[in-house]
Short mmCIF file of all heavy atoms in Angstrom, two decimals:
data_model
loop_
_atom_site.label_atom_id
_atom_site.label_comp_id
_atom_site.label_asym_id
_atom_site.label_seq_id
_atom_site.Cartn_x
_atom_site.Cartn_y
_atom_site.Cartn_z
N ALA A 1 -12.15 -21.51 -163.73
CA ALA A 1 -13.43 -22.18 -163.51
C ALA A 1 -14.62 -21.29 -163.85
O ALA A 1 -15.66 -21.80 -164.31
CB ALA A 1 -13.53 -22.64 -162.05
N LEU A 2 -14.51 -19.99 -163.65
CA LEU A 2 -15.67 -19.10 -163.73
C LEU A 2 -15.82 -18.38 -165.07
O LEU A 2 -16.93 -18.08 -165.48
CB LEU A 2 -15.58 -18.04 -162.63
CG LEU A 2 -15.82 -18.50 -161.20
CD1 LEU A 2 -15.53 -17.37 -160.22
CD2 LEU A 2 -17.25 -18.99 -161.02
N SER A 3 -14.74 -18.09 -165.74
CA SER A 3 -14.74 -17.02 -166.74
C SER A 3 -15.12 -17.46 -168.15
O SER A 3 -14.76 -18.56 -168.59
CB SER A 3 -13.34 -16.38 -166.80
OG SER A 3 -12.86 -16.07 -165.52
N ASP A 4 -15.80 -16.56 -168.86
CA ASP A 4 -15.90 -16.67 -170.31
C ASP A 4 -14.60 -16.18 -170.94
O ASP A 4 -14.09 -16.78 -171.88
CB ASP A 4 -17.07 -15.83 -170.84
CG ASP A 4 -18.41 -16.33 -170.35
OD1 ASP A 4 -18.60 -17.56 -170.28
OD2 ASP A 4 -19.27 -15.50 -170.00
N ARG A 5 -14.10 -15.07 -170.42
CA ARG A 5 -12.79 -14.56 -170.83
C ARG A 5 -12.03 -14.07 -169.61
O ARG A 5 -12.63 -13.68 -168.60
CB ARG A 5 -12.93 -13.41 -171.83
CG ARG A 5 -13.38 -13.82 -173.22
CD ARG A 5 -13.28 -12.67 -174.22
NE ARG A 5 -14.06 -11.52 -173.77
CZ ARG A 5 -13.63 -10.25 -173.87
NH1 ARG A 5 -12.45 -9.97 -174.35
NH2 ARG A 5 -14.41 -9.27 -173.45
N ILE A 6 -10.70 -14.07 -169.72
CA ILE A 6 -9.83 -13.59 -168.65
C ILE A 6 -8.94 -12.50 -169.22
O ILE A 6 -8.38 -12.65 -170.31
CB ILE A 6 -8.96 -14.73 -168.09
CG1 ILE A 6 -9.83 -15.85 -167.51
CG2 ILE A 6 -8.00 -14.20 -167.02
CD1 ILE A 6 -9.04 -17.10 -167.14
N ALA A 7 -8.81 -11.39 -168.47
CA ALA A 7 -7.84 -10.35 -168.80
C ALA A 7 -6.73 -10.43 -167.75
O ALA A 7 -6.97 -10.16 -166.57
CB ALA A 7 -8.49 -8.97 -168.79
N ILE A 8 -5.54 -10.82 -168.18
CA ILE A 8 -4.42 -10.95 -167.26
C ILE A 8 -3.70 -9.62 -167.16
O ILE A 8 -3.31 -9.03 -168.18
CB ILE A 8 -3.47 -12.07 -167.70
CG1 ILE A 8 -4.21 -13.41 -167.65
CG2 ILE A 8 -2.23 -12.11 -166.82
CD1 ILE A 8 -3.36 -14.61 -167.96
N MET A 9 -3.51 -9.14 -165.91
CA MET A 9 -2.88 -7.85 -165.67
C MET A 9 -1.56 -8.04 -164.95
O MET A 9 -1.39 -8.95 -164.13
CB MET A 9 -3.80 -6.94 -164.85
CG MET A 9 -5.12 -6.62 -165.52
SD MET A 9 -6.05 -5.30 -164.66
CE MET A 9 -5.01 -3.86 -165.02
N ASN A 10 -0.62 -7.14 -165.26
CA ASN A 10 0.67 -7.12 -164.58
C ASN A 10 1.24 -5.72 -164.67
O ASN A 10 1.32 -5.15 -165.76
CB ASN A 10 1.63 -8.12 -165.23
CG ASN A 10 2.91 -8.29 -164.44
OD1 ASN A 10 2.90 -8.25 -163.20
ND2 ASN A 10 4.02 -8.48 -165.13
N GLY A 11 1.60 -5.16 -163.53
CA GLY A 11 2.19 -3.83 -163.51
C GLY A 11 1.31 -2.74 -164.09
O GLY A 11 1.80 -1.77 -164.68
N GLY A 12 -0.02 -2.88 -163.94
CA GLY A 12 -0.95 -1.88 -164.45
C GLY A 12 -1.36 -2.08 -165.89
O GLY A 12 -2.23 -1.37 -166.40
N ASP A 13 -0.78 -3.06 -166.57
CA ASP A 13 -1.08 -3.33 -167.98
C ASP A 13 -1.94 -4.58 -168.11
O ASP A 13 -1.79 -5.53 -167.34
CB ASP A 13 0.19 -3.54 -168.79
CG ASP A 13 1.10 -2.32 -168.81
OD1 ASP A 13 0.57 -1.22 -169.02
OD2 ASP A 13 2.32 -2.48 -168.60
N VAL A 14 -2.80 -4.60 -169.13
CA VAL A 14 -3.45 -5.83 -169.55
C VAL A 14 -2.53 -6.49 -170.57
O VAL A 14 -2.30 -5.96 -171.65
CB VAL A 14 -4.84 -5.56 -170.16
CG1 VAL A 14 -5.39 -6.84 -170.80
CG2 VAL A 14 -5.81 -5.07 -169.10
N VAL A 15 -1.97 -7.65 -170.21
CA VAL A 15 -0.96 -8.27 -171.06
C VAL A 15 -1.54 -9.28 -172.04
O VAL A 15 -0.94 -9.55 -173.08
CB VAL A 15 0.15 -8.92 -170.21
CG1 VAL A 15 0.93 -7.86 -169.47
CG2 VAL A 15 -0.41 -9.94 -169.23
N GLN A 16 -2.72 -9.84 -171.74
CA GLN A 16 -3.38 -10.74 -172.68
C GLN A 16 -4.82 -10.94 -172.25
O GLN A 16 -5.12 -11.00 -171.06
CB GLN A 16 -2.66 -12.09 -172.77
CG GLN A 16 -3.15 -12.97 -173.92
CD GLN A 16 -2.37 -14.26 -174.07
OE1 GLN A 16 -1.44 -14.53 -173.32
NE2 GLN A 16 -2.73 -15.08 -175.05
N VAL A 17 -5.70 -11.04 -173.24
CA VAL A 17 -7.13 -11.29 -173.00
C VAL A 17 -7.55 -12.46 -173.88
O VAL A 17 -7.20 -12.53 -175.05
CB VAL A 17 -7.99 -10.05 -173.34
CG1 VAL A 17 -9.46 -10.33 -173.04
CG2 VAL A 17 -7.51 -8.83 -172.59
N GLY A 18 -8.31 -13.38 -173.30
CA GLY A 18 -8.80 -14.50 -174.09
C GLY A 18 -9.60 -15.46 -173.24
O GLY A 18 -9.76 -15.27 -172.03
N SER A 19 -10.10 -16.51 -173.87
CA SER A 19 -10.82 -17.55 -173.13
C SER A 19 -9.83 -18.30 -172.24
O SER A 19 -8.62 -18.31 -172.51
CB SER A 19 -11.48 -18.52 -174.10
OG SER A 19 -10.49 -19.31 -174.77
N PRO A 20 -10.31 -18.94 -171.17
CA PRO A 20 -9.40 -19.72 -170.32
C PRO A 20 -8.58 -20.73 -171.11
O PRO A 20 -7.37 -20.87 -170.90
CB PRO A 20 -10.35 -20.40 -169.33
CG PRO A 20 -11.50 -19.46 -169.22
CD PRO A 20 -11.68 -18.91 -170.60
N LEU A 21 -9.22 -21.44 -172.05
CA LEU A 21 -8.51 -22.44 -172.83
C LEU A 21 -7.44 -21.81 -173.71
O LEU A 21 -6.31 -22.30 -173.79
CB LEU A 21 -9.50 -23.24 -173.68
CG LEU A 21 -8.89 -24.34 -174.55
CD1 LEU A 21 -8.20 -25.39 -173.69
CD2 LEU A 21 -9.97 -24.99 -175.42
N ALA A 22 -7.77 -20.70 -174.36
CA ALA A 22 -6.81 -20.05 -175.25
C ALA A 22 -5.60 -19.54 -174.48
O ALA A 22 -4.46 -19.68 -174.94
CB ALA A 22 -7.49 -18.90 -176.00
N LEU A 23 -5.83 -18.94 -173.31
CA LEU A 23 -4.72 -18.42 -172.53
C LEU A 23 -3.85 -19.55 -171.99
O LEU A 23 -2.61 -19.43 -171.93
CB LEU A 23 -5.24 -17.57 -171.36
CG LEU A 23 -5.96 -16.28 -171.73
CD1 LEU A 23 -6.36 -15.52 -170.47
CD2 LEU A 23 -5.11 -15.39 -172.61
N TYR A 24 -4.47 -20.64 -171.57
CA TYR A 24 -3.72 -21.76 -171.02
C TYR A 24 -2.89 -22.45 -172.10
O TYR A 24 -1.74 -22.81 -171.88
CB TYR A 24 -4.68 -22.75 -170.38
CG TYR A 24 -4.01 -23.80 -169.52
CD1 TYR A 24 -3.64 -23.53 -168.21
CD2 TYR A 24 -3.76 -25.08 -170.03
CE1 TYR A 24 -3.04 -24.49 -167.41
CE2 TYR A 24 -3.15 -26.05 -169.24
CZ TYR A 24 -2.79 -25.75 -167.94
OH TYR A 24 -2.18 -26.70 -167.16
N GLU A 25 -3.49 -22.61 -173.28
CA GLU A 25 -2.81 -23.33 -174.36
C GLU A 25 -1.86 -22.44 -175.16
O GLU A 25 -0.84 -22.92 -175.64
CB GLU A 25 -3.85 -23.93 -175.31
CG GLU A 25 -4.60 -25.11 -174.72
CD GLU A 25 -3.73 -26.34 -174.57
OE1 GLU A 25 -3.41 -26.96 -175.59
OE2 GLU A 25 -3.34 -26.66 -173.42
N ARG A 26 -2.20 -21.16 -175.32
CA ARG A 26 -1.40 -20.28 -176.16
C ARG A 26 -1.08 -18.97 -175.44
O ARG A 26 -1.52 -17.89 -175.85
CB ARG A 26 -2.12 -19.98 -177.48
CG ARG A 26 -2.25 -21.19 -178.40
CD ARG A 26 -0.91 -21.55 -179.01
NE ARG A 26 -0.98 -22.79 -179.78
CZ ARG A 26 0.06 -23.34 -180.39
NH1 ARG A 26 1.25 -22.74 -180.31
NH2 ARG A 26 -0.06 -24.47 -181.05
N PRO A 27 -0.32 -19.02 -174.36
CA PRO A 27 0.04 -17.78 -173.67
C PRO A 27 0.91 -16.91 -174.55
O PRO A 27 1.76 -17.40 -175.30
CB PRO A 27 0.80 -18.28 -172.44
CG PRO A 27 1.34 -19.62 -172.85
CD PRO A 27 0.31 -20.22 -173.76
N ALA A 28 0.72 -15.59 -174.45
CA ALA A 28 1.48 -14.66 -175.29
C ALA A 28 2.88 -14.41 -174.74
O ALA A 28 3.78 -14.04 -175.49
CB ALA A 28 0.73 -13.34 -175.42
N THR A 29 3.06 -14.58 -173.44
CA THR A 29 4.35 -14.32 -172.81
C THR A 29 4.63 -15.42 -171.78
O THR A 29 3.72 -16.14 -171.35
CB THR A 29 4.38 -12.96 -172.09
OG1 THR A 29 3.48 -13.01 -170.97
CG2 THR A 29 3.99 -11.83 -173.03
N ASP A 30 5.89 -15.51 -171.37
CA ASP A 30 6.21 -16.50 -170.34
C ASP A 30 5.60 -16.10 -169.00
O ASP A 30 5.33 -16.97 -168.16
CB ASP A 30 7.72 -16.69 -170.22
CG ASP A 30 8.48 -15.40 -170.00
OD1 ASP A 30 7.92 -14.32 -170.20
OD2 ASP A 30 9.67 -15.47 -169.62
N PHE A 31 5.34 -14.80 -168.79
CA PHE A 31 4.64 -14.39 -167.57
C PHE A 31 3.23 -14.98 -167.54
O PHE A 31 2.80 -15.54 -166.52
CB PHE A 31 4.55 -12.87 -167.45
CG PHE A 31 3.61 -12.41 -166.37
CD1 PHE A 31 4.01 -12.41 -165.04
CD2 PHE A 31 2.31 -12.01 -166.66
CE1 PHE A 31 3.13 -12.03 -164.03
CE2 PHE A 31 1.43 -11.63 -165.66
CZ PHE A 31 1.85 -11.63 -164.34
N VAL A 32 2.50 -14.89 -168.64
CA VAL A 32 1.15 -15.44 -168.71
C VAL A 32 1.20 -16.95 -168.51
O VAL A 32 0.40 -17.52 -167.76
CB VAL A 32 0.48 -15.09 -170.05
CG1 VAL A 32 -0.87 -15.80 -170.18
CG2 VAL A 32 0.29 -13.58 -170.17
N ALA A 33 2.14 -17.61 -169.16
CA ALA A 33 2.26 -19.05 -169.03
C ALA A 33 2.50 -19.45 -167.58
O ALA A 33 1.88 -20.39 -167.06
CB ALA A 33 3.40 -19.56 -169.90
#
């Protein structure tokens, strides 16, 4: 709801960065999805 971009973190790593729509529609990993 808030973000221009989101950086998703897991285990100390940034695993994907993008707009909310891009991350929701095209996740890079099944964790992000």
Side-chain angles (χ1 to χ4, degrees):
L2 289 173
S3 312
D4 296 320
R5 288 189 303 138
I6 300 171
I8 296 184
M9 299 190 69
N10 188 36
D13 298 314
V14 170
V15 293
Q16 191 176 0
V17 182
S19 70
L21 180 61
L23 295 183
Y24 192 82
E25 288 290 287
R26 292 288 174 182
T29 67
D30 54 345
F31 168 80
V32 174

